Amino acid sequence: MSQTQTKFLLPEDRIPTTWYNVVADLPKPLDPMLHPGTREPITPADLEPLFPAELIAQEFSTDASVDIPGAVLDVYKQWRPSPLVRARRLEKALDTPARIYFKNEGVSPAGSHKPNTAIPQAYYNKRAGVERLTTETGAGQWGSSLSLACQYFGLVCEVYMVKVSYQQKPYRRGLMETFGASVTASPSDRTAAGRAALAADPDSPGSLGLAISEAVEAAVSSNGTAKYALGSVLNHVLMHQTIIGQEAQLQMELAEDYPDIVIGAAGGGSNFGGLALPFLGEQLRGGRPVRAIAVEPASCPTLTQGRLDYDFGDTAGLTPLTKMHTLGHDFVPPSIHAGGLRYHGMSPIISALKDLDYLEARAVPQTACFEAGVTFARHEGIVPAPESTHAVRVAIDEALACKESGESKSIVFSLSGHGHFDMQAYIDYFAGKLKD
């Protein structure tokens, strides 16, 4: 194990060339998605109004790996492989025997992990002859990523941004517009779902579920010219994100170490899954076990307090029903700054792994997360996105537990993005305005 090295870097020619599909290694098949009208298991044809054929095939795939297209790899090389960093200064400040590593996904052009799936989604839609993509975004990381991906592949991008985030994060909105997207605050008067929400509550802060309803409605009513793109939850999205964990496996070999604990923030599950699924796959195939901890906001405790049941992915009930941990599709979370984690449901894959006891879930309050984010920033020099502070919080807690027990455990967490567009949240934290 390296005693002095801080960054563990892979050359471009070691970028993984396949995505990992954990469905192939699950001890039992996932429950099927159900049609919103008939409540019967959906077929690939049922998803054709929303997605191109190649993404639908990935959604239903049980293959252990799927090839990454060369055109996608070419774009990935702008920032991938992302660094794995040993947080030595944080370890020293905590006086812990734990070895703390973070996978820095904030180095992407959009500043988060979201381009890992935005790039292939735009690519497959372009190949299918699609002209326009509609989507939702919470804090704006996903909207920024899809905006850029559409620009790279010559597609029009329309983003419905949750209204509270639209108001809190004007620079994210500006970034999306710089990348060529049109951005609409949700709920809006452009869709039936938005108009119904405004009629019920003219001051509605919006939610990811509602923004999904608007984006899906816009795509389905486009006469085939538009498709919908989702930044989390679905199987193909989590599969695209596994490039994070696959790189981390190679980088931990360089560090001559292996994680005892892997940690990620969880809203819909894509960032946590992206890091954790390759390691959990090793365990599922009989390899070394890891503790995998999914961290969510105490104000939106989907995994820790939600029920495991079939539910819609959106507020209006336009999307297929999936078996997942859910707080109910009409749940509107409080207006916390971690907008990317304000989602009522959880990925079916993550939900199934939780139900099978392959992962732990932990809910943490907003102010404790920002406290951890400030600690991390002051010692490692990176301001984490509000979503990422949830993973930082639990990584610090686990490192302090090692200090108490005297154990030298290896902790790897995903720094899902930087917080440079979220500084108002930190300003509010220092002013004592954030509430739990």
Side-chain angles (χ1 to χ4, degrees):
M1 173 183 319
S2 172
Q3 299 302 314
T4 58
Q5 192 169 344
T6 297
K7 294 191 303 298
F8 299 91
L9 305 175
L10 294 172
E12 280 185 13
D13 62 9
R14 294 199 70 193
I15 295 177
T17 57
T18 60
W19 293 299
Y20 167 61
N21 185 10
V22 74
V23 171
D25 292 320
L26 292 177
K28 64 178 185 178
L30 292 175
D31 292 293
M33 287 190 283
L34 303 182
H35 191 283
T38 66
R39 305 295 172 101
E40 295 294 322
I42 64 167
T43 65
D46 292 325
L47 293 179
E48 287 176 1
L50 295 178
F51 306 114
E54 288 176 290
L55 287 177
I56 294 171
Q58 290 180 9
E59 184 64 25
F60 283 88
S61 175
T62 55
D63 295 337
S65 63
V66 173
D67 288 339
I68 303 175
V72 173
L73 283 170
D74 287 344
V75 179
Y76 276 174
K77 287 175 182 177
Q78 287 194 276
W79 75 96
R80 304 216 71 89
S82 67
L84 181 77
V85 182
R86 177 83 180 265
R88 293 187 180 276
R89 294 180 65 85
L90 180 63
E91 290 173 10
K92 184 177 179 181
L94 298 176
D95 189 26
T96 177
R99 306 181 301 285
I100 307 173
Y101 303 84
F102 62 93
K103 185 72 165 143
N104 186 2
E105 290 297 300
V107 298
S108 79
S112 79
H113 67 292
K114 293 291 188 177
N116 297 331
T117 185
I119 298 300
Q121 288 195 50
Y123 166 78
Y124 289 122
N125 275 283
K126 182 67 174 180
R127 274 174 52 112
V130 175
E131 300 171 8
R132 183 163 55 98
L133 287 180
T134 66
T135 197
E136 76 294 329
T137 196
Q141 286 97 333
W142 168 242
S144 304
S145 302
L146 192 67
S147 302
L148 182 63
C150 285
Q151 192 64 228
Y152 281 164
F153 291 103
L155 297 166
V156 174
C157 185
E158 297 177 2
V159 181
Y160 289 86
M161 187 174 186
V162 176
K163 184 175 288 182
V164 64
S165 291
Y166 184 95
Q167 294 165 344
Q168 285 177 343
K169 303 181 190 295
Y171 297 122
R172 274 283 171 197
R173 189 168 79 237
L175 184 63
M176 287 182 258
E177 291 169 346
T178 301
F179 287 156
S182 64
V183 186
T184 301
S186 172
S188 75
D189 60 5
R190 296 181 59 179
T191 67
R195 290 189 292 271
L198 288 172
D201 178 8
D203 297 319
S204 170
S207 69
L208 274 170
L210 181 54
I212 291 171
S213 293
E214 293 207 82
V216 167
E217 183 181 328
V220 171
S221 62
S222 70
N223 295 317
T225 61
K227 297 287 188 187
Y228 168 68
L230 185 65
S232 193
V233 179
L234 294 178
N235 296 4
H236 68 269
V237 179
L238 269 68
M239 185 176 67
H240 296 159
Q241 292 291 355
T242 59
I243 195 164
I244 302 172
Q246 291 183 90
E247 286 181 2
Q249 288 175 313
L250 297 172
Q251 289 162 319
M252 289 302 285
E253 289 178 11
L254 294 179
E256 299 177 348
D257 205 350
Y258 196 87
D260 297 296
I261 306 170
V262 292
I263 301 167
S270 72
N271 180 251
F272 169 76
L275 175 65
L277 291 180
F279 290 103
L280 287 171
E282 286 285 330
Q283 178 176 339
L284 289 164
R285 294 188 299 274
R288 183 169 169 175
V290 294
R291 277 181 66 205
I293 307 176
V295 192
E296 60 187 9
S299 60
C300 193
T302 308
L303 280 171
T304 51
Q305 294 188 41
R307 68 184 190 278
L308 182 61
D309 201 357
Y310 273 103
D311 196 12
F312 295 102
D314 71 309
T315 300
L318 303 176
T319 59
L321 294 100
T322 57
K323 185 75 169 292
M324 62 181 177
H325 282 270
T326 177
L327 295 165
H329 62 276
D330 54 356
F331 176 75
V332 178
S335 300
I336 59 171
H337 273 287
L341 304 183
R342 292 178 71 250
Y343 185 58
H344 68 273
M346 185 57 63
S347 155
I349 286 174
I350 304 302
S351 296
L353 287 167
K354 169 70 164 55
D355 191 46
L356 292 166
D357 292 326
Y358 281 100
L359 61 88
E360 305 170 30
R362 199 170 301 179
V364 287
Q366 176 169 244
T367 52
C369 291
F370 275 92
E371 177 190 39
V374 170
T375 298
F376 182 81
R378 289 178 178 175
H379 295 290
E380 294 297 325
I382 300 172
V383 179
E387 293 78 12
S388 306
T389 63
H390 291 68
V392 176
R393 174 73 270 163
V394 171
I396 289 176
D397 290 345
E398 289 298 321
L400 292 174
C402 287
K403 180 180 178 179
E404 289 294 316
S405 68
E407 296 173 280
S408 179
K409 292 182 180 178
S410 176
I411 300 169
V412 179
F413 73 90
S414 183
L415 189 74
S416 58
H418 67 66
H420 298 170
F421 295 101
D422 303 289
M423 294 314 300
Q424 187 60 51
Y426 283 88
I427 292 169
D428 290 347
Y429 170 72
F430 292 125
K433 295 180 180 178
L434 296 192
K435 294 182 174 61
D436 291 329

